[in-house]
Amino acid sequence: MPKLTIITATYNRAKCLSECWKSLKNQTCKDFQWLIVDDGSTDNTSGVVAGFQNDAPDMCIDYVYKVNGGKHTALNKSHEYIKGQYVVILDSDDRFTADAVEQILNAWEKYSTCTDVGQVIFLKGFSETEPICYVEHEDIPLDTLNEPRIGKNGRDCCDTYRASLFIKHPFPVFEGERFIGEGSSFLFIELESKGVYINKVIYLCDYLEDGLTKAGRKMRIMNPQGGRFNSRIYMDKRLPIKTRIKKGILYVCYSKFAHIGFGRIVKENENKLLTLISYVPGVTLYHYWNKKYLLEKAEL
């Protein structure tokens, strides 16, 4: 069985997958499963993947199709098909450096018996020499929640996980919503285990204009139940106070987009004092975003 599972959740990205595939086909170590979860594509994704399988019959390439529900539901679906001990997510419009799998497995070999380590975290970059961010404490098991990731996109790294932890913490799914921040699952892994940072770029990305990263805030506003859940869990007292205050404001803001009133906003959050403090700023932010993104007005 392969040691590493590389998960690619994709939706109508048949044209992008070839670059992703090239980076995997040329890996210096091929001890991995490429698990492609097709989130209801209507293009020729299945045919493109079949071509990859025919091109490299000795490689472990598994394809799973599901009804469209959003990336988080595709990642949940992947749990049934993971073969590796470790997991990493590779988006359909991104690619790995040629030695990425080798680097991941070498790092995990060092920490495989350290049961408190649940993540080994590498860097993303626009090139191998242009990282998006870097960290100060390298190759040391630590509490990743309080480790600063320095750069424009401070928390955007290439996280690899023990498969058992990844499967243990599925994403919540809210009816009618097709997006939720990845922290809504991965925060629980960070709370439960330590992580090891390695200042090496193994993941290359371009941030397509139609990708989730570019869709950003409007995507979250249009899926407010997921936004309020994600914000609420980041109000955990184990996190830095700045993070908790920011998430408290967002919790109130997304709750208003979900048409939830004051009583429920306070009742459904165990951090009631912080929720009360965040209420006025959160409502103010709601009105600003509601106007800026031309969404349907909701009454207070």
Side-chain angles (χ1 to χ4, degrees):
M1 298 291 284
K3 290 184 179 179
L4 177 67
T5 292
I6 300 169
I7 302 172
T8 298
T10 187
Y11 174 68
N12 286 344
R13 290 295 182 86
K15 293 181 180 179
C16 298
L17 282 170
S18 60
E19 290 301 315
C20 187
W21 163 236
K22 286 178 185 177
S23 76
L24 297 180
K25 183 181 178 181
N26 295 324
Q27 287 296 306
T28 57
C29 173
K30 292 185 172 60
D31 189 8
F32 66 88
Q33 169 200 20
W34 188 22
L35 176 55
I36 303 159
V37 184
D38 186 342
D39 188 37
S41 294
T42 57
D43 62 6
N44 189 36
T45 294
S46 61
V48 169
V49 174
F52 300 156
Q53 293 170 325
N54 291 333
D55 188 32
D58 294 333
M59 294 180 66
C60 183
I61 305 173
D62 293 322
Y63 173 80
V64 177
Y65 182 88
K66 63 176 287 295
V67 174
N68 180 256
K71 181 180 177 181
H72 61 300
T73 65
L75 293 176
N76 284 351
K77 184 68 175 178
S78 74
H79 294 179
E80 306 172 43
Y81 303 93
I82 291 170
K83 296 176 180 177
Q85 296 173 256
Y86 312 107
V87 167
V88 63
I89 297 169
L90 177 63
D91 288 344
S92 56
D93 50 348
D94 296 332
R95 56 207 182 278
F96 277 147
T97 61
D99 64 345
V101 172
E102 183 178 354
Q103 292 289 335
I104 291 169
L105 293 181
N106 284 345
W108 271 111
E109 184 175 359
K110 180 178 179 179
Y111 291 102
S112 62
T113 59
C114 299
T115 56
D116 59 337
V117 173
Q119 312 161 78
V120 175
I121 305 162
F122 293 85
L123 302 186
K124 290 184 178 182
F126 301 113
S127 70
E128 293 188 51
T129 58
E130 188 182 5
I132 291 172
C133 67
Y134 67 94
V135 294
E136 294 182 334
H137 302 101
E138 181 179 9
D139 212 4
I140 302 170
L142 48 76
D143 174 7
T144 60
L145 292 168
N146 296 301
E147 170 68 8
R149 307 186 191 186
I150 303 168
K152 183 178 179 181
N153 297 304
R155 290 189 61 80
D156 202 355
C157 292
C158 177
D159 303 76
T160 73
Y161 306 99
R162 291 187 188 272
S164 57
L165 275 177
F166 181 81
I167 294 170
K168 182 179 178 180
H169 297 289
F171 290 90
V173 178
F174 297 95
E175 186 176 356
E177 295 197 1
R178 284 176 163 72
F179 176 80
I180 191 170
E182 293 189 355
S184 58
S185 168
F186 301 154
L187 173 65
F188 296 108
I189 298 177
E190 293 191 77
L191 289 170
E192 186 174 330
S193 65
K194 291 184 178 181
V196 175
Y197 285 103
I198 298 177
N199 274 321
K200 179 175 176 57
V201 174
I202 65 167
Y203 189 114
L204 304 175
C205 48
D206 298 318
Y207 292 124
L208 294 182
E209 291 296 329
D210 64 338
L212 285 180
T213 303
K214 287 290 185 181
R217 189 169 294 145
K218 189 171 183 179
M219 178 76 77
R220 289 167 170 82
I221 289 172
M222 296 300 292
N223 297 272
Q225 294 286 358
R228 73 190 298 264
F229 176 88
N230 193 59
S231 300
R232 180 178 61 78
I233 64 173
Y234 273 92
M235 294 170 70
D236 190 291
K237 293 181 179 179
R238 287 169 286 184
L239 299 180
I241 186 62
K242 288 184 178 180
T243 297
R244 294 170 57 208
I245 291 172
K246 175 183 177 182
K247 295 300 183 178
I249 294 171
L250 289 173
Y251 168 74
V252 173
C253 179
Y254 290 130
S255 295
K256 298 306 295 183
F257 278 111
H259 307 292
I260 293 172
F262 174 78
R264 278 186 61 195
I265 289 174
V266 177
K267 182 180 179 181
E268 295 177 0
N269 194 324
E270 59 272 21
N271 298 288
K272 298 192 187 307
L273 179 59
L274 181 55
T275 302
L276 289 170
I277 293 170
S278 303
Y279 187 76
V280 172
V283 171
T284 301
L285 181 62
Y286 158 73
H287 282 299
Y288 172 69
W289 281 356
N290 194 43
K291 181 178 180 180
K292 180 176 180 180
Y293 293 101
L294 303 176
L295 298 176
E296 182 178 349
K297 298 283 185 180
E299 293 182 0
L300 286 173

